[in-house]
Amino acid sequence: MSSIESHPERNVIRVQLAHNVVLKGMTVAQMAELEPHLVVVDCQKGEALLHQGVHEMEQYFILEGILKRVVSNQEAKEMILRFAEEGQMETSYAAWRLGTPAPYSIVCVTRARVAKLPLREWVAFIDKHPGLKQAFEYDVMFVMSDIMAHTITLHLLDAPGRVKRFLRKHADLAERMPKKELASYLNLSAETLSRLKQRGKI
């Protein structure tokens, strides 16, 4: 972990943060206020940033790589709720506001770099900046809506339909992630996904 100011790639990181979906509307003064709270973390593939069930939560701004939001039951069966890539953010804001444990884990699909800070510090920051808070909460709601749409899709579309929908919405991601991750997200086996591609159905 490293502060942005002491990071050897701080100039690149500042540009990446300035292009983040939530932070891009910030003023120079707001960014200068936020930056000392952020630490930069490099993570390995498969590393968990947030564990389901914990109460200590953080806010993540993705600088490089792909993360997944995943929920598991007591039998360790997992369901991937979403993927997020550079320029996006990950959070458990709703759970933090409700005072409930994190309802899912956040795990690195690839090697990743994130800038993070404790959620309590992030909430204190956005509470002082209503415009930023509005943009952040809009993105939180957009993500929740997208997860709901995906869950419905799993029930309403057949296997080729699910794959085609993902490719239409996230063509760039499909080329970058392990096929087993994509198959799991679409509730398919990796073999089925491969077979659909071989038969020209996707």
Side-chain angles (χ1 to χ4, degrees):
M1 287 192 294
S2 170
S3 69
I4 294 175
E5 181 59 39
S6 64
H7 200 286
E9 297 178 51
R10 56 186 172 273
N11 292 334
V12 173
I13 290 169
R14 284 168 175 151
V15 170
Q16 291 170 323
L17 287 170
H19 287 91
N20 184 273
V21 64
V22 171
L23 305 180
K24 61 186 178 183
M26 288 177 62
T27 65
V28 173
Q30 287 172 335
M31 187 62 83
E33 182 186 349
L34 176 63
E35 189 177 292
H37 295 278
L38 295 169
V39 293
V40 178
V41 185
D42 289 299
C43 314
Q44 298 302 311
K45 177 181 176 181
E47 185 175 340
L49 293 171
L50 176 73
H51 292 277
Q52 183 176 329
V54 303
H55 284 270
E56 285 296 316
M57 306 177 207
E58 297 175 305
Q59 171 68 27
Y60 307 97
F61 300 104
I62 307 167
L63 306 175
E64 298 172 16
I66 303 171
L67 308 182
K68 65 179 177 180
R69 186 183 290 193
V70 60
V71 62
S72 58
N73 63 14
Q74 292 181 336
E75 289 75 43
K77 184 177 181 181
E78 294 187 344
M79 178 181 180
I80 299 173
L81 301 176
R82 76 177 293 241
F83 297 108
E85 59 184 329
E86 48 273 286
Q88 298 179 320
M89 62 93 178
E90 255 303 356
T91 189
S92 47
Y93 176 71
W96 192 90
R97 279 290 194 195
L98 291 169
T100 57
Y104 42 74
S105 298
I106 297 172
V107 181
C108 299
V109 175
T110 64
R111 292 182 65 179
R113 174 178 285 175
V114 302
K116 68 175 187 173
L117 75 165
L119 250 176
R120 64 182 179 278
E121 293 182 20
W122 171 245
V123 171
F125 179 76
I126 61 174
D127 280 346
K128 292 190 292 182
H129 302 284
L132 179 61
K133 182 177 182 178
Q134 184 178 21
F136 170 70
E137 290 186 340
Y138 176 86
D139 196 64
V140 170
M141 289 186 288
F142 177 84
V143 167
M144 292 172 71
S145 176
D146 195 52
I147 290 172
M148 184 174 291
H150 166 64
T151 304
I152 293 169
T153 294
L154 293 181
H155 293 281
L156 296 184
L157 295 182
D158 62 9
R162 278 176 260 157
V163 179
K164 287 175 182 175
R165 180 180 183 273
F166 183 85
L167 294 176
R168 187 174 67 251
K169 292 173 65 69
H170 308 287
D172 54 331
L173 272 179
E175 296 301 316
R176 297 175 55 201
M177 69 172 63
K179 293 300 178 277
K180 68 174 184 177
E181 297 280 5
L182 176 57
S184 177
Y185 176 69
L186 297 173
N187 199 24
L188 304 170
S189 68
E191 294 75 18
T192 298
L193 183 62
S194 178
R195 192 161 56 246
L196 288 171
K197 192 168 186 178
Q198 289 170 0
R199 292 177 179 175
K201 292 190 176 182
I202 57 174

